[in-house]
Amino acid sequence: MTHVKLTMAQALNQALRDAMKADDSVLMFGEDVGPLGGVFRITDGLTAEFGEDRCFDTPLAESGIVGMAVGLAMNGMRPVVEMQFDAFGYPAFEQIVSHVAKMRNRTRGRVALPMVIRMPYAGGIGGVEHHCDSSESYYAHTPGLTVVAPSTVADAYTLLRRAIEWPDPVVFMEPKKLYWAKEEVDLTEDVPGIGKAVVRREGADATLIAYGPSVPIAMEAAEVAAAEGRQLTVVDLRSVVPFDDETVCAAVRRTGRAVVVAEASGFASVSSEIVARVTERCFHSLAAPVRRVTGFDIPYPPPKLEKYQLPGVDRILDAVDDLQWEDS
Amino acid sequence: MTTVEEQLLPSKEPVRLIDQDGVLHDHSSYKLPAEQTLVDGYVELIKGRRINDQASALVRQGRLAVYPSSHGQEACQVAASMVLADGDWLFPTYRDTVSIVSRGVDPIETLTLLRGDWHSGYDPYERNVAPQSTPLATQLTHAVGVAHAARLKGEDTVVMALCGDGATSEGDFHEALNFAAVFQTPVVFFVQNNEYAISVPLSKQTIAPSIAHKGIGYGVPGERADGNDLAGLLAVLGQAVDKARAGEGPQLVEAHTYRVQAHTNADDATRYRQDDEVTPWLERDPIKRLEAYLNSAGLLSDDTKKRADETATQVAQYLRDGLMPEPGVDSEDLFRHLYAVPTPQLVEQAAFLRDELAREES
Ligand SMILES: Cc1ncc(C[n+]2csc(CCOP(=O)(O)OP(=O)(O)O)c2C)c(N)n1
Ligand SMILES: [Mg+2]
């Protein structure tokens, strides 16, 4: 097959390009996504290739962008919008929660909104205030949304293609710090779709559960643990909603111990939901309480301090060490 | 020659073709609608008034949870739908029941939201009527999207987007006007200025000379009309729709009317306004004045009066018959329409509720 070396940013760009080629109703719009190609260049070249009607800049107003996407989706289009940064998606929050998420439900299935809200998110890029939020929990908490977060280049391509084809609105969380991660990939390869978690690494002793930007850290931690004699499974959620209880719980039952790794603040978050679900379902297989390594419950810190906030290999390994091994 | 500013600013006075005494006034820019249109409009007004008053009565009888009445605003309600073609779209709010029914949507399905057996009861694609929007002004950007999609598809659809005076303070009102202007989408923004947002008078929403004046800031032509004069509204809204359809971009129309009743049955208007403020508005009633004009012009035949009366009686009976019985609800509906394919978690929760209900029954 055709293996190519791509960054995640290039894979996302390719996914948009291929989706727009495959379906004339796919539109891409937002702030600076036209001739500039987006501040992260994810939409690079799309206006040139598909014209201004298909990929265009809008006035600077996120609620307007998402609201317009709702109307376009109501009338036969498949809009993909970019929120320039995670924290700049908040002006659109009312639209997302009150309309995007609810339209199918409030119309008894008569109006569906096939649309994608692309959200460059999370930290680790030395970004200043308001550029590094992990906002996935707000969306995951909202019934009616599908929330996806790729961690690999191959997934970035395939999950974005699937998200655009998905019959319901998808909040597509793009880990900014992985935009420049390069991988040898085969874009024609079939990878599991939305709603399926995958086991990235098998190990019998404990399970790390992660998604988006935390997956590579979890993989690194597992590598170090293996060198130290402890075999860790790593589960990559890929989609936060729908949540793949089956894959997650199977891994936890196999290993009897688990640590959830997430960059977002832990309080009332996706990570707390995972702990609750795993505890409810796997209690008798657990040899220790499920631990979490998350961001502290603080606003995302300034660049010089972000190293304290981000889950790192050592913190993950410490959490694994704390899984009451002496009792087993 | 008029300047760009003059083209964007509204008329010096709200456009009025028939005054509160039923007297006709010529206007340099707007023509009186055809006789038959006015006669049909009269029948619609009578029907709309009856829908409002019957629905309010049904709230008192516990058949509707709440009813935000457009009593006194029926001319706006009826005109908004009458000026649209079949393929056009209407984006209504919670107060626009009469407008939705005027567009041909089933009255019982229209009142589903306020009855409480579901959120939106009608199929938006059947008559191109969006679900009623409660979060103020949020529907206006959807209207822009629907209109933009139509333009991209090469269709000559016009979208009529309704909101109240209070809603013009919301950010989405401004974003919608600006987006529509930048993309030159065929949307008519129609603001029913009834002088109140629940208890708050217009003077606390804006100190602009009028709401129609706000258009100029976005490059959108603004116009204002007497909101209780069906003839003037049909002329102004009709022209706005024609311009939008002809590719002249979005239009902003403000109707100056008045909320003669409380915000809803749950509101107590005596806490924030005096009765003597309301009284003059009763004299400006939209039905009274059209009736006076049609009578004086010899256009109100016994047949028309009979038709109006029968239409109103029928719709009232239809509402009572349809809303008196308890609505059937299905608990499975709670989980059915969140996603095209329900998540495993929703499947589990639906089974849980089914099981709980089965145990209650046994
Ligand atoms: C975003 C939002 N904020 C507050 C409310 C509560 N609310 C419902 S109606 C209303 C007044 C709206 O006034 P106006 O826009 O003038 O419309 P009217 O009710 O007079 O038709 C308010 C504050 C709401 N529905 N949505
Ligand atoms: Mg009002």
Side-chain angles (χ1 to χ4, degrees):
Chain A
M1 282 276 91
T2 46
H3 284 262
V4 280
K5 202 161 183 155
L6 288 181
T7 64
M8 185 181 278
Q10 289 167 325
L12 291 166
N13 179 266
Q14 192 62 45
L16 289 169
R17 194 178 298 275
D18 291 349
M20 290 174 83
K21 252 187 229 153
D23 181 350
D24 283 347
S25 70
V26 177
L27 308 176
M28 173 74 233
F29 57 97
E31 296 161 5
D32 301 294
V33 301
L36 178 69
V39 293
F40 295 105
R41 306 293 183 266
I42 307 300
T43 59
D44 190 28
L46 298 181
T47 302
E49 183 169 345
F50 298 98
E52 265 199 76
D53 276 352
R54 302 281 310 279
C55 178
F56 54 92
D57 289 322
T58 66
L60 247 169
E62 293 76 11
S63 183
I65 292 169
V66 172
M68 184 173 173
V70 169
L72 285 160
M74 281 177 78
N75 201 3
M77 298 294 160
R78 283 187 180 260
V80 182
V81 300
E82 178 176 300
M83 296 288 100
Q84 198 158 67
F85 285 83
D86 35 61
F88 306 136
Y90 302 142
F93 196 65
E94 183 188 23
Q95 284 291 343
I96 296 174
V97 171
S98 292
H99 291 296
V100 174
K102 291 179 181 167
M103 189 65 86
R104 181 188 284 279
N105 182 254
R106 56 202 282 265
T107 61
R108 275 204 171 99
R110 286 158 175 149
V111 181
L113 296 179
M115 57 183 277
V116 179
I117 301 172
R118 292 187 34 245
M119 193 86 69
Y121 94 111
I125 57 159
V128 297
E129 228 194 343
H130 307 301
H131 291 76
C132 294
D133 280 15
S134 287
S135 45
E136 70 275 19
S137 301
Y138 303 126
Y139 306 113
H141 185 68
T142 304
L145 298 176
T146 297
V147 183
V148 172
S151 77
T152 67
V153 174
D155 265 5
Y157 178 82
T158 306
L159 288 176
L160 184 53
R161 290 296 307 270
R162 298 280 168 87
I164 294 170
E165 290 160 4
W166 198 244
D168 287 301
V170 178
V171 180
F172 196 85
M173 309 296 298
E174 301 173 2
K176 285 191 287 277
K177 76 167 178 198
L178 301 182
Y179 271 155
W180 303 280
K182 253 196 178 143
E183 256 176 65
E184 187 99 18
V185 286
D186 173 6
L187 297 182
T188 62
E189 198 176 46
D190 207 26
V191 304
I194 290 173
K196 295 268 172 257
V198 301
V199 173
R200 294 267 175 229
R201 181 188 175 108
E202 296 267 10
D205 297 330
T207 299
L208 303 180
I209 305 162
Y211 56 93
S214 300
V215 175
I217 311 289
M219 292 296 282
E220 217 182 304
E223 193 67 39
V224 178
E228 293 170 357
R230 207 168 258 161
Q231 304 305 323
L232 303 183
T233 288
V234 177
V235 176
D236 177 356
L237 291 184
R238 304 168 77 249
S239 80
V240 176
V241 182
F243 188 84
D244 185 354
D245 283 308
E246 211 177 300
T247 303
V248 171
C249 290
V252 174
R253 288 195 190 102
R254 272 197 308 274
T255 54
R257 288 180 169 80
V259 174
V260 181
V261 186
E263 206 178 298
S265 303
F267 191 83
S269 68
V270 170
S271 66
S272 39
E273 176 65 20
I274 299 171
V275 174
R277 302 190 77 78
V278 166
T279 308
E280 281 167 358
R281 285 165 179 71
C282 312
F283 189 72
H284 291 293
S285 310
L286 285 171
V290 180
R291 288 288 313 265
R292 284 187 293 162
V293 177
T294 69
F296 297 115
D297 298 327
I298 56 173
Y300 195 84
K304 303 280 188 213
L305 291 136
E306 71 176 342
K307 60 175 184 271
Y308 302 115
Q309 173 75 350
L310 294 169
V313 169
D314 288 344
R315 214 176 269 167
I316 294 170
L317 293 176
D318 286 348
V320 171
D321 281 345
D322 268 359
L323 294 173
Q324 303 186 4
W325 301 92
E326 64 279 8
D327 290 340
S328 58
Chain B
M1 275 299 283
T2 50
T3 63
V4 176
E5 285 77 5
E6 280 163 350
Q7 285 166 26
L8 295 176
L9 284 173
S11 303
K12 293 263 182 286
E13 293 292 331
V15 175
R16 176 180 300 132
L17 299 180
I18 298 174
D19 70 19
Q20 69 185 75
D21 301 318
V23 176
L24 205 58
H25 294 263
D26 279 340
H27 197 285
S28 55
S29 313
Y30 298 98
K31 284 212 315 269
L32 189 72
E35 288 175 359
Q36 191 56 48
T37 308
L38 291 177
V39 169
D40 291 344
Y42 172 77
V43 175
E44 279 299 294
L45 285 185
I46 299 281
K47 180 180 164 193
R49 173 66 50 87
R50 189 66 69 87
I51 290 170
N52 276 328
D53 295 349
Q54 180 63 71
S56 294
L58 285 162
V59 176
R60 292 191 292 273
Q61 294 161 35
R63 310 321 298 168
L64 292 174
V66 63
Y67 185 69
S69 181
S70 62
H71 185 113
Q73 297 176 221
E74 288 92 348
C76 300
Q77 295 285 307
V78 164
S81 282
M82 281 183 73
V83 296
L84 296 180
D86 277 352
D88 293 342
W89 273 84
L90 179 72
F91 274 74
T93 75
Y94 52 87
R95 198 175 297 287
D96 302 315
T97 300
V98 169
S99 200
I100 298 167
V101 175
S102 262
R103 182 114 176 101
V105 176
D106 178 82
I108 304 291
E109 288 182 8
T110 305
L111 286 167
T112 298
L113 168 77
L114 303 169
R115 188 189 200 189
D117 45 319
W118 200 255
H119 305 301
S120 183
Y122 51 89
D123 181 348
Y125 294 119
E126 213 171 281
R127 299 276 171 179
N128 285 358
V129 178
Q132 283 164 286
S133 179
T134 303
L136 300 171
T138 54
Q139 75 280 10
L140 303 178
T141 52
H142 308 169
V144 176
V146 164
H148 191 63
R151 222 207 54 180
L152 289 175
K153 291 190 279 187
E155 298 164 356
D156 70 349
T157 310
V158 172
V159 180
M160 175 74 64
L162 308 182
C163 75
D165 49 302
T168 66
S169 299
E170 293 279 1
D172 276 351
F173 174 79
H174 303 271
E175 296 189 20
L177 258 84
N178 192 41
F179 273 56
V182 167
F183 295 112
Q184 288 291 290
T185 56
V187 181
V188 175
F189 296 96
F190 180 33
V191 181
Q192 291 168 73
N193 169 8
N194 61 9
E195 299 214 355
Y196 281 93
I198 307 187
S199 66
V200 180
L202 183 65
S203 59
K204 297 213 168 114
Q205 301 292 347
T206 179
I207 62 159
S210 79
I211 291 170
H213 277 80
K214 290 174 186 270
I216 191 170
Y218 308 102
V220 175
E223 182 57 290
R224 50 182 159 170
D226 180 329
N228 290 6
D229 169 19
L230 182 68
L233 286 166
L234 288 171
V236 168
L237 287 171
Q239 194 176 102
V241 166
D242 289 346
K243 284 185 177 170
R245 204 184 307 284
E248 292 182 39
Q251 313 287 318
L252 171 63
V253 176
E254 171 189 6
H256 195 196
T257 180
Y258 191 77
R259 203 194 70 211
V260 294
Q261 298 185 344
H263 174 66
T264 67
N265 52 287
D267 174 40
D268 175 7
T270 63
R271 292 178 69 93
Y272 52 84
R273 73 180 183 194
Q274 305 292 321
D275 281 351
D276 59 5
E277 184 190 309
V278 183
T279 316
W281 281 98
L282 301 177
E283 291 308 306
R284 297 174 197 142
D285 186 85
I287 298 180
K288 254 189 206 167
R289 81 169 66 179
L290 185 59
E291 202 167 72
Y293 167 72
L294 291 176
N295 265 325
S296 70
L299 295 171
L300 200 55
S301 66
D302 287 346
D303 265 5
T304 301
K305 279 192 214 158
K306 194 161 155 249
R307 173 155 72 102
D309 195 51
E310 279 173 8
T311 310
T313 308
Q314 269 168 19
V315 76
Q317 187 65 45
Y318 187 74
L319 288 177
R320 286 194 301 272
D321 290 349
L323 296 174
M324 271 311 188
E326 255 318 285
V329 294
D330 179 358
S331 61
E332 298 281 327
D333 271 349
L334 293 173
F335 307 99
R336 210 166 254 155
H337 304 299
L338 269 86
Y339 300 95
V341 181
T343 62
Q345 290 74 26
L346 285 174
V347 172
E348 266 178 33
Q349 290 167 26
F352 171 88
L353 181 59
R354 208 174 300 132
D355 185 53
E356 188 179 80
L357 293 173
R359 277 187 282 119
E360 267 172 25
E361 268 168 33
S362 63

